[in-house]
Each structure stands twice: as C-alpha cells, then as structure tokens.
Amino acid sequence: MPKWLKDAVFYEIYPQSFYDTNGDGIGDFNGIIEKLDYIKSLGCNALWINPCYDSPFKDAGYDVRDYKKVAPRYGTNSDLYRLFGEAHRRGMHVLLDLVPGHTSEEHAWFLESQKAGKNEYSNRYVWTNVAFQPAKGFPYIGGESERDGVYLLNFFKCQPALNYGFQRCEEDWQLPPDHPDCIATREAMKDVMRFWLDHGCDGFRVDMAGSLVKNDDEKKTGTSALWKNVREMLDEEYPEAAMVSEWNEPMAAINQGGFHMDFFLNGKDNGYTTLLRDYESGEDNSFFRKDGKGDITRFLEEYVPRYMATKENGYYCLLTCNHDTMRPKYNLDDTELKIAYAFLFTMPGVPYLYYGDEIGMRYLDIPTKEGGYARTGSRTPMQWNDGKNAGFSTCPADALYLPVDTAADAPNVAAQEADADSLLNTVRTLLSLRHEQEDLQADAEFEVLYAESGKLPFVYRRGDLLLTLNPSAERVSAPVAVTGKEKKLLFSIGSGEINSGEITLEPQSFLVWK
Ligand code: NOJ
C-alpha cells in the first residue's frame, strides 16, 4: 500500500474545463500547472486527471486513439511530464485515467484487428467469426470491417472491447483469459502503465475496471485475477504507485483484485446516491437536505459491510461528484453542502473532490458535447473570478469548449476566497483539520455510534474523535455514552452540546469533538 494514500485528498480535473492558458477556449496542462498552488491551498494533495490522450473525443477522451501520446489540445507529452514534476515539487501526486476496457475505433490496434488477414492484433479485440450473426447477448457492430465477423463494444459505438477473454466460454469465438492473445492484451496494458509511471505519473484511476473479462462469474473471479496480476507487477516495480477502480464492488476490486482504492459510485437508489442525489422519484429525500427526510441507514446498510470487509486491504472511497454525475449544487444549497462535505471529508478512505464543487458550481442545462449528454452540465469551465469567461479563458465566448455559467450569482473562486464563511474556505478548514488529525485520515478506525432509521442526528467515531452531524432544520438530540466535560470541540458548523449522556445539535450543524 503506497503510504502517501493515508493522508491523500484527491482533486479530480476534467482537463477540458479547468484553466486555459493559450486562449483557444479549452483547458491545458500549463493551466493545471498554474493552478497547482491553488489546489494545494484547498488541502488537496493529489490529482486525478480525466483521459488526456490522443482521441477523436467521441466520449470526451474515454475513446483513446494512442495511449502513449497526449491530445495536442492540452499540450505535449513534455508538458505533462513537467506537470508531474511540478506536482511532486509541491508534495503532490498525479493519477492519470487508464482506459483498459476499450479503445477508440481509430486506435492503430483496432485498424489492424479489423483486417481480413490474420495478424498480431486479430485477437486484441473480441470478434465473432461470421458477419451475419449477432454476438449472443453482447452489444456489437457488424458490417463495417473488412474482416468477416462482428466486434463487441464496451460502451458507445466508438469503443470496441479489448479482448481479455471469457471466464465461461460458450461460443467458439470466445477465448479463455489464459489464451496467449488475451494475456498479450493484459501485457500491452501493463506496457502503457509502465510508460506513464516511468515518466513520473503516480498511478491510475481505472475506467470500468470490472468490465474486462467477459462472462465473468458473480465473484468476478476472472477480472479480479487479471488485476491481481497487475498489482503484483506494481508491487515489484512501482510500489508507490496507486490504483483506484471505477468498480463499486470493493470486495472484488480491493480484496481480490488488489486495487488500493475503489469508489462508492452513484447508482439507482444505492447507498451513496441517497446521501446527495435522492431525487429520481420526483421527491428529494437526500440525506443532506435540510428538510430532513433522508435516512443515513440507507447509506450505512451498504457502506458498513463493505468497509468492514475491505478495510485491512484498501480504501472504499467517497466523492463529492465526478464527470458523470449531477453536481451536488443541483439540489443542495451552500449550507447543506458544507455539512455534506464535512461528512465526506471525515469518513474513512480517501476523499475525492470534483473541480468546482469547492465553490458549489452549478449543473447547467446545456446541449451535449463529446458524448456527454446529461453529464455535460457537470463539465463546464471552472469559475475563477467575475472577469471574462469567469477567468477560465481569454477566448471569445463562442469559442469556449463549453459555456460558462453566466448567472449573476454564479460562484467563483476569487469572491469566495475573500469571504471567510464561504464554501471554499469551509473546504479549506475541513481539509486542514483532516491533515492535522491522524484520526480523520484514510485508515483510522470508524464506528457508528448513533444512526436510527428516520431519526437524527448521525453520530460516529473516528479513532479518538467524536463526530456529530445534523443536516436538518430542526434541533435534534440522541443518547451518547460520553459527558461534555471529557470532550473538547475541535471544529464546528453550527452548534450543539453534550450533557449528561445526551448530545443536542442545533439545526444544520456538524461538530468534531476530542
Ligand atoms: C466511465 C467514465 O467515467 C465515463 O465518463 C465513460 O463515458 C465510460 N466509462 C466509458 O469509458
């Protein structure tokens, strides 16, 4: 386990929209370098950068055309190497986004693979052997290749599935994971990883990490064995490199696959979604809404068993949002967000902050861009100040990658820096508390002390610290087995007190006691 993860806090950057230094309307590596001090000032000491490789951008870069070359629109490979160096100089780490499940249909491997004549790449992707038959339950494309067969997709039409084999082979075109050509795909992905690690990258966020071996069993035996093999390579060659999976099955990802971290991701009605985004039914029951209709036990039911089962091996991680999800500002105001972030940043595992969530950037209702569809509204340019294009770019507004939020009250960094009570400054205080208190970091103990269905507050322990949380507009109380005198207040939003075994919390409050 890379030691630096214990006190890591990640900042996710969608490079298109972070900071444009050459006035072409899209963010770039130099922009990220210029803003490293800002990111560090928040208390984030690690970055996850969404795919920044050469790509036709039909899925915002998750359709990689060349794994070893950056997209010219962000700069050059040397600029990215310089970014690694500048981050390291500041004690920061950088994860790139590894997309191992599929490439772009324009990738050189795929262009070879679709040829009629057998070659080294024929089995790099999953092909059937007759163009006129469907691929038995898998999404596929037929009729476009010289080769007689159809190929499997991993996501959009532009993303043919790389071939890591089938755990259960049911058709003659399905190869087992230990077939030399499937092993060759895995080794090719390791080669990509080594390339970036050798140039100073500190690890990877892994896209759709659970999708590699097809027809896998319920325990994900095939895919996790593949990742375990990758972990062995890392332990031997790059022991400080970190891997986080987009999987949301920590038992498979962490315990079996050897990932250091796995995300608790948004999913229909799942435990994470009930915290911040429980509005699909038309009624908003999100736990952090001040109307107090949420129920923390819905989160804990899923989180606690997974946390308990994986805590010795890795970190099950919480995020404010990501590039696929509605911004939390969509349904929560700044006070609600402060309490939500206080929770997210004091839980076990490694927290992830999505760029712009520190100022409460809004979700914008805008047309799709680069395969974003509904996700596009969470990918708009960072709002740095109230100047032209919110300080993101000097280009004409119609040349922007995506429109900036032009509302009169659109939040921005400069204004919030000047306001001691802003969301941005609350994030800073919370993250500096986390860095100061080992008990708030990734691996310190976590225990639920009070969580009742339909009731508040929520009370939990991290190491020797007591954390008490009331997102609602009502005063609430609960029994706790401590007296106020033993406890000193370390941090507070709102107020509350502990008296003869009972904790009382004022509306919308979050308190940390030692
Ligand atoms: C998950 C990524 O987060 C998403 O943005 C992308 O579209 C798909 N995987 C396909 O790579």
Side-chain angles (χ1 to χ4, degrees):
M1 174 67 73
K3 281 186 287 304
W4 60 272
L5 286 181
K6 179 181 160 59
D7 189 28
V9 179
F10 276 88
Y11 191 78
E12 180 192 344
I13 295 181
Y14 187 72
Q16 287 90 322
S17 295
F18 194 55
Y19 188 49
D20 171 21
T21 56
N22 64 356
D24 63 355
I26 192 159
D28 43 50
F29 295 127
N30 286 332
I32 300 176
I33 294 172
E34 279 192 33
K35 297 296 184 185
L36 284 174
D37 289 328
Y38 164 76
I39 297 167
K40 182 111 199 258
S41 82
L42 293 173
C44 294
N45 52 18
L47 308 181
W48 152 28
I49 304 175
N50 291 115
C52 52
Y53 319 103
D54 178 45
S55 166
F57 291 102
K58 292 184 181 173
D59 183 15
Y62 283 95
D63 46 332
V64 179
R65 185 164 48 200
D66 184 341
Y67 284 108
K68 296 186 181 175
K69 182 174 170 273
V70 302
R73 67 190 201 178
Y74 303 130
T76 62
N77 276 28
S78 306
D79 293 332
L80 181 55
Y81 306 155
R82 199 160 58 81
L83 165 56
F84 297 147
E86 288 293 328
H88 296 160
R89 223 160 51 76
R90 292 165 173 83
M92 301 168 82
H93 292 87
V94 183
L95 300 191
L96 293 181
D97 211 315
L98 184 72
V99 190
H102 47 268
T103 65
S104 155
E105 61 201 337
E106 295 180 21
H107 193 290
W109 296 342
F110 187 71
L111 299 180
E112 286 301 305
S113 194
Q114 65 82 43
K115 287 185 177 162
K118 186 134 179 70
N119 62 57
E120 187 188 341
Y121 300 99
S122 298
N123 283 334
R124 181 57 51 94
Y125 298 81
V126 189
W127 290 86
T128 67
N129 40 28
V130 193
F132 298 105
Q133 276 169 16
K136 292 268 164 68
F138 292 94
Y140 70 94
I141 296 291
E144 292 208 337
S145 61
E146 187 182 284
R147 178 171 175 170
D148 188 3
V150 305
Y151 59 92
L152 264 54
L153 297 174
N154 217 36
F155 199 67
F156 286 152
K157 184 260 164 192
C158 62
Q159 291 155 319
L162 283 161
N163 192 2
Y164 296 91
F166 288 70
Q167 187 66 9
R168 206 178 56 252
C169 294
E170 290 169 340
E171 303 293 326
D172 55 1
W173 47 268
Q174 300 179 348
L175 305 177
D178 61 358
H179 186 283
D181 291 344
C182 301
I183 290 179
T185 311
R186 182 191 75 199
E187 293 305 307
M189 210 43 66
K190 281 190 196 160
D191 173 61
V192 169
M193 295 172 70
R194 288 189 181 101
F195 175 84
W196 290 109
L197 293 167
D198 288 340
H199 281 104
C201 157
D202 299 293
F204 301 92
R205 174 268 187 188
V206 178
D207 187 67
M208 295 172 67
S211 74
L212 304 196
V213 173
K214 308 299 182 200
N215 278 354
D216 211 348
D217 56 28
E218 217 175 296
K219 284 186 69 194
K220 298 290 163 78
T221 308
T223 299
S224 58
L226 185 154
W227 286 116
K228 187 157 172 283
N229 174 280
V230 172
R231 169 71 185 263
E232 282 159 14
M233 177 280 277
L234 290 175
D235 283 351
E236 200 173 309
E237 299 174 33
Y238 306 93
E240 285 302 294
M243 300 281 283
V244 55
S245 46
E246 187 204 26
W247 196 334
N248 194 19
E249 284 189 49
M251 275 85 117
I254 295 174
N255 289 359
Q256 294 165 205
F259 274 94
H260 306 104
M261 303 172 270
D262 185 33
F263 290 126
F264 197 167
L265 293 165
N266 222 54
K268 197 172 163 20
D269 293 331
N270 82 0
Y272 169 72
T273 300
T274 65
L275 294 174
L276 309 161
R277 301 181 182 85
D278 197 359
Y279 41 67
E280 289 297 317
S281 67
E283 192 189 5
D284 194 341
N285 294 319
S286 307
F287 179 69
F288 287 103
R289 290 269 298 196
K290 66 170 171 292
D291 20 1
K293 286 189 288 188
D295 185 343
I296 193 70
T297 64
R298 292 172 66 199
F299 164 78
L300 295 171
E301 268 164 29
E302 274 173 59
Y303 176 83
V304 174
R306 294 175 185 184
Y307 160 75
M308 294 300 285
T310 56
K311 70 188 171 93
E312 303 305 327
N313 301 318
Y315 304 129
Y316 191 31
C317 299
L318 299 172
L319 320 81
T320 59
C321 181
N322 69 24
H323 61 287
D324 294 331
T325 316
M326 299 293 274
R327 291 237 183 223
K329 185 59 186 266
Y330 179 70
N331 63 323
L332 301 178
D333 66 23
D334 280 8
T335 310
E336 291 167 326
L337 285 177
K338 284 179 187 174
I339 295 170
Y341 294 174
F343 166 79
L344 295 172
F345 298 159
T346 56
M347 285 290 283
V350 180
Y352 283 72
L353 170 67
Y354 184 52
Y355 84 97
D357 279 349
E358 70 273 29
I359 54 171
M361 266 175 61
R362 278 187 278 233
Y363 174 84
L364 301 189
D365 189 9
I366 50 176
T368 185
K369 176 95 175 183
E370 297 185 346
Y373 302 98
R375 309 175 293 185
T376 309
S378 293
R379 299 176 173 184
T380 59
M382 179 69 178
Q383 294 148 210
W384 295 103
N385 54 47
D386 63 4
K388 183 176 179 184
N389 300 323
F392 163 71
S393 170
T394 55
C395 74
D398 62 4
L400 286 169
Y401 169 78
L402 281 174
V404 297
D405 185 348
T406 51
D409 61 345
N412 69 66
V413 171
Q416 293 206 10
E417 290 205 306
D419 171 5
D421 197 33
S422 65
L423 185 59
L424 173 74
N425 280 318
T426 304
V427 167
R428 283 187 170 137
T429 316
L430 279 164
L431 292 179
S432 74
L433 181 72
R434 184 175 171 108
H435 295 307
E436 266 162 34
Q437 301 288 331
E438 241 188 289
D439 278 347
L440 293 180
Q441 295 169 8
D443 55 358
E445 270 177 68
F446 164 75
E447 189 190 355
V448 175
L449 298 181
Y450 182 86
E452 293 286 320
S453 183
K455 286 192 189 159
L456 287 167
F458 173 45
V459 182
Y460 54 111
R461 181 176 72 77
R462 297 290 323 274
D464 288 336
L465 305 181
L466 178 75
L467 297 95
T468 59
L469 185 160
N470 173 22
S472 81
E474 306 293 322
R475 172 194 283 174
V476 295
S477 47
V480 283
V482 285
T483 67
K485 289 197 195 73
E486 298 160 10
K487 295 276 165 199
K488 178 173 133 232
L489 200 54
L490 282 188
F491 173 85
S492 60
I493 294 171
S495 60
E497 53 183 34
I498 302 175
N499 265 322
S500 47
E502 188 173 72
I503 170 116
T504 301
L505 293 180
E506 295 302 324
Q508 296 195 288
S509 57
F510 173 86
L511 309 173
V512 182
W513 315 74
K514 184 158 183 139

